Amino acid sequence: MHLAYPAVLAALLFCIGLYGVLARRNAILVLMSVELMLNAVNLNLVAFDVWLRDTLHSGQALTLFTIAIAAAEIGIGLAIVLAVHRNRGTSDIDRLRDTAETDEAETLPDTAETDTAETDTAETDTAETRDAATAPGQVDGKTGKTKKAEATT
């Protein structure tokens, strides 16, 4: 058997898997593409093991470990995808990136753009006056979160 046949087949499988990882938007299809890439690597390991006539069959043993790791990876990956789909209602990778939580540094204004007089008065402002000045339904400048109206009875 020539080594070129399985090597070319493995290269084609790996390229198809790489295209699937880069082009797909569905998380399950991306996981399937990663599995295709791992199978291409396994094919190369077995083909080179047979071609080199290794007495320990280390390529085949490494392939078994790779298959076990791939099975664990797909189980955990599918569990994560199902949990995200249950919480967000989609498994679209672009939408998951868009709905990520922002941290406080992104909501605060840039300090280089403000005047020094504004920053001096902002530093003397206390948390109590800031909370009292923020009306219900407005965005708090410190945390960037919307304050909810308090129900009074």
Side-chain angles (χ1 to χ4, degrees), residues 107 134-150:
T107 59
T134 306
Q138 291 182 345
V139 176
D140 186 12
K142 181 179 179 184
T143 61
K145 297 181 181 177
T146 306
K147 290 189 153 265
K148 294 182 180 178
E150 297 179 66

Side-chain angles (χ1 to χ4, degrees), residues 7-83:
V8 168
L9 179 62
L12 287 173
L13 284 174
F14 193 84
C15 289
I16 291 169
L18 185 64
Y19 174 75
V21 167
L22 296 176
R24 299 293 178 188
R25 295 183 183 196
N26 190 349
I28 294 175
L29 291 177
V30 170
L31 286 174
M32 289 174 58
S33 298
V34 169
E35 289 296 319
L36 196 61
M37 292 168 64
L38 283 173
N39 286 331
V41 170
N42 288 339
L43 181 62
N44 265 337
L45 284 171
V46 172
F48 276 98
D49 184 51
V50 169
W51 184 66
L52 293 173
R53 293 184 177 96
D54 187 17
T55 57
L56 294 176
H57 300 290
S58 56
Q60 293 177 18
L62 189 57
T63 299
L64 289 176
F65 284 117
T66 307
I67 290 171
I69 290 172
E73 175 257 335
I74 199 70
I76 293 171
L78 281 175
I80 291 171
V81 168
L82 288 174

Side-chain angles (χ1 to χ4, degrees), residues 88 92-102:
R88 306 251 175 126
D92 188 14
I93 294 174
D94 291 334
R95 284 192 175 173
L96 295 178
R97 190 177 310 134
D98 292 341
T99 59
E101 293 183 19
T102 60

